Amino acid sequence: MMAQDQIYGIAAVLLFCTGLYGVAARPETLRRIMALNLMGAGVFLFFVSVAWRETATADAVPHAMVLTGIVVAVSATSFALGMLRRLSGLDRKSREEEDDPTR
């Protein structure tokens, strides 16, 4: 029977590999951003599974790194989605200008 930390470790590797496939195989920017988030979740889960111990004296540094990483990941994702929205709007405007017969 597998230990709990091994199950979490395997799940972390599967999350990371799924995200890596999404980054490599998908040309759409939004899907790539979500795949990068999936990879980040896999890394966070791996850190937690490595730091998990059965004793009461667990190492708090990896857990603090994961919490900090979650905050940074949310901020970076919101920035990337904002930039994607801005670029989509600019692209839409340029297409409308090209299609405008009065110009």
Side-chain angles (χ1 to χ4, degrees):
M1 186 148 183
M2 294 179 68
Q4 189 174 7
D5 57 341
Q6 291 175 337
I7 294 172
Y8 286 142
I10 291 170
V13 170
L14 289 175
L15 276 173
F16 185 83
C17 290
T18 304
L20 187 62
Y21 172 75
V23 169
R26 300 292 180 186
E28 301 91 6
T29 309
L30 180 61
R31 289 186 185 207
R32 285 187 175 189
I33 292 171
M34 293 300 114
L36 284 171
N37 279 333
L38 198 60
M39 289 173 63
V43 170
F44 296 151
L45 184 59
F46 182 74
F47 277 163
V48 169
S49 69
V50 168
W52 186 79
R53 293 193 180 102
E54 295 208 19
T55 62
T57 59
D59 190 10
V61 174
H63 296 287
M65 288 176 58
V66 167
L67 286 175
T68 305
I70 290 170
V71 171
V72 171
V74 167
S75 300
T77 301
S78 65
F79 178 73
L81 290 175
M83 292 298 293
L84 178 63
R85 184 176 178 200
R86 178 81 175 228
L87 289 173
S88 296
L90 292 175
D91 188 39
R92 190 177 308 123
K93 282 183 183 179
S94 67
R95 274 193 245 140
E96 288 173 359
E97 289 174 359
E98 287 175 3
D99 293 340
D100 188 15
T102 61
R103 268 192 77 148

